[in-house]
Amino acid sequence: MDKKDIQNILTKTPALKEKLYSWGFLFTDADVKTNEYPFYGNWKHEVIGHFNLLVASQQSYYVNSRKNGFIALVGHAYNPFAMISDEQALLEALSIKEFGTKEFFDYLNELTGVFTLICYYSDNLFILGDASGMQNTLYSVIDGRVYVSSHTNLVNDFLDLQWSDYAKSLCNYRFFKLLGNAMPGDLTQFEQVKRLVPNHYICIDKNGKITSHRFYTPKDLHLSIDEAAEKASDILTRNLQLIAKKWDRAAISMTGGCDSKTTLSCAAGLYDQFSYFSYTSSESEQVDVEAAHNICEALNLSHKIYTINENDADFEHVEEIRAILRWNTGDIRDSNRNDVRKRAFFCRVNDFDIEVKSWASEIGRAYYSKRFNGRKNFGDKPSPRKCTTLYKFFFNNRKLVKQTDKVFEEYLNTFFEQDSSKPVDWQEQFFWEFRVPSWNGLVITGEHRFSFDITIPYNNRLLLEILLSVPLEARINDTVYSEIRKRMNPMIDSTGIAVTNLKHTNNRARAERIYYSIHSKIPF
């Protein structure tokens, strides 16, 4: 597929033009023609200094200008500590703090949301993102021009970039599809375009030199279960209060799982300000839907179930939507067929303004220990091979393993740094700063926001740090989450309804543990 294919699709089905890079943005000092592909005159355009900011029609952006520069925020943000839900007020508070100071970053770390922050001071451009990269942010300097974007192919549309040979080999590997479309390290399929790593900012100076700087390092605060539950429930509750204030029609998407039940518990006292929904697009999702419905019923909450047919023919332009989704997520491979039907279905739904989603919560839930059958010891330090093994299943292509090792070696040397006095488990920081943004951020940006916007109350650095600051056993058992629900709404757990991730069966977890134990130590 190439952009001509997408142009032809949009010429034949112009109603889908707004779905190309929906909720996307492009920030550049290159000349742009806003009435042509890929913008078609639908995107908002603002000239800020000598830069162009282009934002999809559905997306929000905010600018605070000063004599010596500006701050721009694309997306949405809110501060549960200061209880501010207005982005202009947040930018005003940031603008009076000197960039690079502790005061600036301390305030930034208080923000929850899905956003990219672009700052320009003294001929230097700084690019920062939300807590876990839920808004995918890419950057590059090519032929002396700066490009900052939400989608890789949005940059590619201007420059006709070529995939790297490594990206071609990796994405053609037969087992690549097993763990999502993520590229390793901070790579994209284009050698010149990189992905912003959470807890870092990128500086591009007036000569086009790019440097990366860590501004936040997760710390183990050594909290008790009670301390963590009290602090975390307070932040989550405040976030939900701000969400209810910001959007008139916010809807909490529900399953019977730990994350959404905990979100629901923290909405206690606000239940009449949200709606609640689940959807089923396959038989495997029915268990989650029924659990969610029964929980809401026990709380006397109206819960809507959307049933998505399993027949492509029931959806208009489904093949065209499949192609656009593939292009939006980097043209790496097709989305699952039922995921395409979900996006097509929800394009026709206008029941809410924003979905309240519980992603990013897994950062505090010992993901790799659960994935590898309760494994607790991953060693004191990361290595390139350990990272490669956590990233993908490599069974037979040893050349590709060595190439991926080199990618992670550079990633660790450039980005991976821990607090020497209070380090979190390295695999937890790796999960936070690599796997969540490279996979979940891509899916949120390129696929889920095809239909509607999403906010994530867990996506706050200080909250995630709290959730990581209890003993590993408590994280494995989700003890803090249980304690939050007990504090905020004990009726939820008293229903006895709980759903575990069916993809992570005990047999699979045991097999993956054996794989990790062997592959992380193979010397070739």
Side-chain angles (χ1 to χ4, degrees):
M1 182 184 298
D2 58 32
K3 72 178 181 182
K4 289 184 179 179
D5 297 319
I6 297 298
Q7 287 174 311
N8 289 336
I9 288 171
L10 297 179
T11 298
K12 295 176 182 177
T13 53
L16 293 177
K17 287 180 179 178
E18 67 173 11
K19 297 302 181 182
L20 181 65
Y21 311 131
S22 53
W23 271 273
F25 75 93
L26 175 68
F27 179 87
T28 181
D29 55 358
D31 293 332
V32 290
K33 296 179 180 179
T34 60
N35 290 322
E36 298 180 1
Y37 172 91
F39 309 114
Y40 295 111
N42 295 326
W43 283 40
K44 292 169 281 191
H45 177 209
E46 183 163 339
V47 177
I48 313 173
H50 62 282
F51 295 98
N52 293 291
L53 176 61
L54 293 107
V55 178
S57 59
Q58 316 94 323
Q59 181 63 282
S60 299
Y61 76 96
Y62 310 87
V63 179
N64 183 294
S65 297
R66 288 290 187 266
K67 282 186 178 180
N68 63 338
F70 62 84
I71 303 180
L73 186 147
V74 180
H76 66 261
Y78 37 99
N79 186 329
F81 298 91
M83 289 304 287
I84 297 174
S85 62
D86 179 74
E87 285 83 359
Q88 287 291 7
L90 296 177
L91 289 188
E92 182 67 28
L94 277 172
S95 69
I96 62 176
K97 306 175 193 306
E98 183 180 351
F99 184 89
T101 63
K102 182 178 183 299
E103 291 74 19
F104 182 94
F105 291 122
D106 282 351
Y107 195 85
L108 176 65
N109 293 339
E110 293 182 353
L111 303 187
T112 307
V114 181
F115 63 87
T116 301
L117 193 69
I118 301 170
C119 308
Y120 185 73
Y121 297 113
S122 303
D123 294 329
N124 291 315
L125 186 67
F126 304 98
I127 307 158
L128 309 93
D130 60 54
S132 59
M134 289 296 93
Q135 180 155 284
N136 202 32
T137 303
L138 300 314
Y139 63 90
S140 61
V141 176
I142 301 174
D143 295 331
R145 297 297 186 185
V146 172
Y147 299 88
V148 183
S149 177
S150 51
H151 298 75
T152 52
N153 274 332
L154 183 47
V155 179
N156 180 34
D157 282 336
F158 282 86
L159 300 170
D160 293 323
L161 301 174
Q162 299 298 311
W163 281 43
S164 69
D165 291 339
Y166 168 72
K168 290 178 184 177
S169 298
L170 179 64
C171 295
N172 287 330
Y173 180 54
R174 61 179 297 192
F175 297 112
F176 176 83
K177 64 182 180 180
L178 293 182
L179 289 172
N181 285 0
M183 299 294 291
D186 65 332
L187 300 190
T188 70
Q189 62 271 43
F190 306 115
E191 190 171 339
Q192 307 98 315
V193 181
K194 305 294 185 184
R195 178 181 55 81
L196 179 65
V197 175
N199 303 328
H200 294 76
Y201 70 86
I202 293 299
C203 175
I204 303 176
D205 69 16
K206 62 183 179 181
N207 297 315
K209 181 182 178 182
I210 301 175
T211 53
S212 175
H213 307 265
R214 178 177 287 276
F215 67 86
Y216 174 82
T217 305
K219 299 179 292 296
D220 184 347
L221 303 176
H222 302 294
L223 300 176
S224 69
I225 301 299
D226 284 344
E227 288 174 320
E230 181 179 0
K231 292 176 182 290
S233 59
D234 181 54
I235 296 172
L236 279 171
T237 299
R238 286 168 171 263
N239 275 336
L240 286 159
Q241 289 170 349
L242 292 170
I243 290 168
K245 182 179 179 180
K246 282 181 69 66
W247 290 281
D248 293 331
R249 300 188 305 158
I252 298 177
S253 58
M254 288 293 303
T255 70
C258 172
D259 301 320
S260 69
K261 287 195 301 182
T262 305
T263 300
L264 185 66
S265 74
C266 290
L270 303 166
Y271 287 143
D272 62 341
Q273 298 184 52
F274 293 95
S275 59
Y276 308 88
F277 78 97
S278 303
Y279 55 79
T280 175
S281 65
S282 63
E283 185 177 346
S284 63
E285 293 174 341
Q286 193 62 37
V287 173
D288 257 334
V289 170
E290 291 176 1
H293 190 74
N294 291 335
I295 290 169
C296 288
E297 194 172 58
L299 271 59
N300 292 317
L301 300 177
S302 177
H303 174 256
K304 187 165 186 175
I305 298 174
Y306 297 100
T307 301
I308 302 169
N309 295 341
E310 297 187 51
N311 186 355
D312 280 359
D314 292 336
F315 300 93
E316 187 178 13
H317 305 309
V318 68
E319 291 303 324
E320 290 83 358
I321 290 172
R322 178 172 289 109
I324 293 171
L325 282 170
R326 176 170 179 144
W327 193 251
N328 284 0
T329 52
D331 192 27
I332 292 173
R333 63 183 177 90
D334 284 340
S335 300
N336 294 332
R337 299 192 75 84
N338 67 318
D339 287 335
V340 176
R341 291 192 290 270
K342 291 175 193 175
R343 298 305 115 216
F345 177 88
F346 279 109
C347 283
R348 304 181 302 196
V349 171
N350 188 32
D351 295 340
F352 47 86
D353 300 323
I354 195 159
E355 176 188 7
V356 182
K357 204 169 186 65
S358 298
W359 283 16
S361 172
E362 279 193 328
I363 290 172
R365 297 183 56 208
Y367 171 85
Y368 285 125
S369 290
K370 292 174 181 175
R371 176 176 156 189
F372 296 114
N373 196 36
R375 185 185 186 97
K376 298 178 182 178
N377 184 8
F378 290 83
D380 294 334
K381 295 181 179 180
S383 70
R385 178 56 60 82
K386 288 179 182 178
C387 295
T388 295
T389 306
L390 294 177
Y391 165 59
K392 287 285 183 185
F393 298 121
F394 291 102
F395 296 107
N396 54 3
N397 191 326
R398 305 317 296 172
K399 178 181 178 181
L400 203 52
V401 170
K402 291 181 179 180
Q403 289 176 312
T404 306
D405 285 348
K406 289 181 179 179
V407 173
F408 279 117
E409 181 178 17
E410 184 173 351
Y411 169 84
L412 292 174
N413 290 337
T414 304
F415 298 105
F416 201 87
E417 178 184 339
Q418 294 197 282
D419 186 293
S420 58
S421 60
K422 298 179 180 179
V424 299
D425 295 335
W426 74 263
Q427 75 276 7
E428 308 288 24
Q429 186 168 330
F430 180 76
F431 181 72
W432 177 345
E433 297 182 350
F434 166 67
R435 189 184 186 280
V436 169
S438 66
W439 186 355
N440 294 4
L442 177 64
V443 173
I444 286 283
T445 302
E447 184 175 300
H448 281 237
R449 287 169 108 186
F450 185 89
S451 306
F452 40 69
D453 202 5
I454 291 168
T455 194
I456 304 171
Y458 289 92
N459 199 29
N460 178 288
R461 286 186 181 86
L462 304 183
L463 171 59
L464 295 174
E465 185 174 71
I466 289 167
L467 296 173
L468 282 174
S469 293
V470 297
L472 177 59
E473 192 69 34
R475 283 181 270 133
I476 292 174
N477 294 326
D478 296 325
T479 308
V480 172
Y481 294 78
S482 298
E483 184 61 32
I484 291 172
R485 296 194 296 273
K486 186 190 301 182
R487 286 167 176 263
M488 304 308 296
N489 191 341
M491 286 184 61
I492 292 174
D493 281 357
S494 70
T495 64
I497 299 169
V499 175
T500 57
N501 190 336
L502 296 178
K503 294 180 180 179
H504 291 170
T505 63
N506 288 335
N507 287 338
R508 172 173 169 172
R510 281 193 289 270
E512 290 200 29
R513 180 169 184 163
I514 293 169
Y515 169 77
Y516 179 84
S517 298
I518 296 173
H519 191 268
S520 62
K521 297 175 183 176
I522 294 176
F524 56 87

